[in-house]
Amino acid sequence: MAQILDGKRVRDEILGELQPRIAALPRRPGLAVVLVGGDPASEVYVNTKVKTCASLGLVSQKIIRPESTTTAELLAILDELNADDSIDAILVQMPLPGHIDARQVLQAIDPEKDVDGFHPVNVGRLSIGLPGSRPCTPNGVMQLLRRSGIEVAGKRAVVVGRSDIVGKPMAMLLLHAHATVTICHSRTVDLAAECQRAEILVGAIGRPAFLTAEHIRPGAVVIDVGINRLTERSEVAAIWRNDPQSLAEFDEKGRMLVGDVHPLDVSALASAWTPVPGGVGPLTIAMLMSNTVEAAERHQGC
Ligand code: GUN
């Protein structure tokens, strides 16, 4: 029977461990979350972040600006937040509108307040194994593996996706944990053959149910980072092969979430796997809270 890797259990464990550290701080940690534009998915993520802060006793400041915001205006906001002593941690929700220079924005965040680990200084620290903020989603995956008793050292790991937010840092963290790591992407010649070698397979491409039986080595540990929203009944019928229960769920809600890995194939083939929802998703927020507390401990001299 395959092991389901329960992200909610691990999230609760991590959040529980943060509580005494928060209580020991001279001042409540402050996280500023900056959202530009009205992307509905980003709004949901930001609201979840703010709610989780409140439940832990962290102070959050939500800064929402219209789609028309310029790079210069955003840089000015970051200057203020960098200088604000009550703010320990800053996050700019991605993706930013296309006209904004995202690289310049990420470089403008004080690396010590950069809870996403996206600043080049923190990317460099990750690369050579120095302490610093690690990107939340891949760091959450490492916590999930560790806290579920899954050995990484010596394993062949394949990461599908090479984004700066997930794929690249994921590969680096697995490498530091002594896996033999391959990164695959849209130009990989024989993706199925590369994935079949994976004892640990990570899907981070943002394409619904893209990784199927041909990609999954029997007995592999499969980590699904994708969160794709389906709004067409025909897509749900195709992916869940006309399963009446899945179609009834879609009919009730009018939408369905699916990861980058095929949900039926993974449950049939993997030794352990993360469901969507409830797998990796909850850990991103847990690691954001953890990075915020770490930033506060540094900033407040603990
Ligand atoms: N958009 C999707 N994932 C993330 C994340 O981890 N951090 C930020 N800032 N934006 C995101």
Side-chain angles (χ1 to χ4, degrees):
M1 184 67 185
Q3 180 188 1
I4 294 180
L5 301 171
D6 183 353
K8 291 182 185 163
R9 176 187 66 79
V10 174
R11 171 197 61 195
D12 292 345
E13 209 173 282
I14 292 168
L15 295 182
E17 290 167 10
L18 290 178
Q19 270 161 351
R21 288 170 60 188
I22 297 166
L25 283 164
R27 164 176 66 64
R28 291 204 291 165
L31 169 67
V33 181
V34 183
L35 174 62
V36 182
D39 174 50
S42 290
E43 274 177 30
V44 172
Y45 293 143
V46 165
N47 287 336
T48 311
K49 288 167 185 175
V50 167
K51 265 192 226 155
T52 312
C53 279
S55 73
L56 277 177
L58 270 58
V59 180
S60 66
Q61 189 179 339
K62 189 160 80 170
I63 298 162
I64 299 182
R65 290 292 180 272
E67 184 86 18
S68 58
T69 304
T70 64
T71 302
E73 284 165 340
L74 193 47
L75 293 176
I77 292 169
L78 292 173
D79 274 349
E80 263 179 51
L81 293 172
N82 285 338
D84 185 339
D85 232 18
S86 71
I87 295 294
D88 301 291
I90 303 169
L91 175 149
V92 178
Q93 186 66 31
M94 297 287 148
L96 287 166
H99 65 274
I100 292 182
D101 183 345
R103 293 216 158 159
Q104 209 185 336
V105 168
L106 293 178
Q107 288 185 44
I109 300 172
D110 176 348
E112 302 315 314
K113 293 190 179 188
D114 165 36
V115 266
D116 268 320
F118 294 164
H119 189 287
V121 164
N122 285 321
V123 176
R125 286 170 171 163
L126 166 60
S127 175
I128 59 172
L130 290 175
S133 280
R134 307 299 195 224
C136 299
T137 301
N139 206 13
V141 170
M142 295 311 292
Q143 289 291 331
L144 184 62
L145 291 171
R146 221 167 275 148
R147 291 170 187 252
S148 304
I150 290 170
E151 184 67 52
V152 174
K155 294 282 167 60
R156 284 190 301 272
V158 173
V159 179
V160 186
R162 55 175 160 180
S163 70
D164 293 337
I165 294 181
V166 181
K168 283 185 218 164
M170 184 77 255
M172 198 55 80
L173 288 168
L174 287 164
L175 179 64
H176 286 315
H178 313 295
T180 300
V181 184
T182 303
I183 306 178
C184 296
H185 46 77
S186 53
R187 304 278 182 92
T188 296
V189 172
D190 189 347
L191 181 65
E194 298 293 344
C195 291
Q196 276 295 334
R197 278 193 280 276
E199 294 162 289
I200 298 173
L201 177 66
V202 182
I205 36 176
R207 295 178 65 173
F210 179 77
L211 299 172
T212 57
E214 65 167 337
H215 303 96
I216 302 167
R217 180 187 183 86
V221 173
V222 180
I223 305 294
D224 193 348
V225 178
I227 302 177
N228 307 291
R229 181 186 288 248
L230 303 178
T231 53
E232 295 294 327
R233 196 174 196 274
S234 58
E235 287 179 298
V236 174
I239 291 172
W240 276 274
R241 297 173 189 140
N242 292 313
D243 167 48
Q245 208 179 323
S246 304
L247 285 167
E249 193 182 327
F250 174 81
D251 289 338
E252 195 189 325
K253 295 197 242 159
R255 65 186 161 78
M256 198 90 154
L257 294 181
V258 71
D260 291 348
V261 183
H262 195 287
L264 304 181
D265 291 353
V266 73
S267 63
L269 287 165
S271 63
W273 57 285
T274 58
V276 176
V280 173
L283 287 159
T284 299
I285 302 270
M287 297 321 292
L288 173 65
M289 297 300 119
S290 174
N291 283 355
T292 301
V293 172
E294 268 176 29
E297 287 170 342
R298 278 194 308 268
H299 188 210
Q300 299 181 30
C302 300

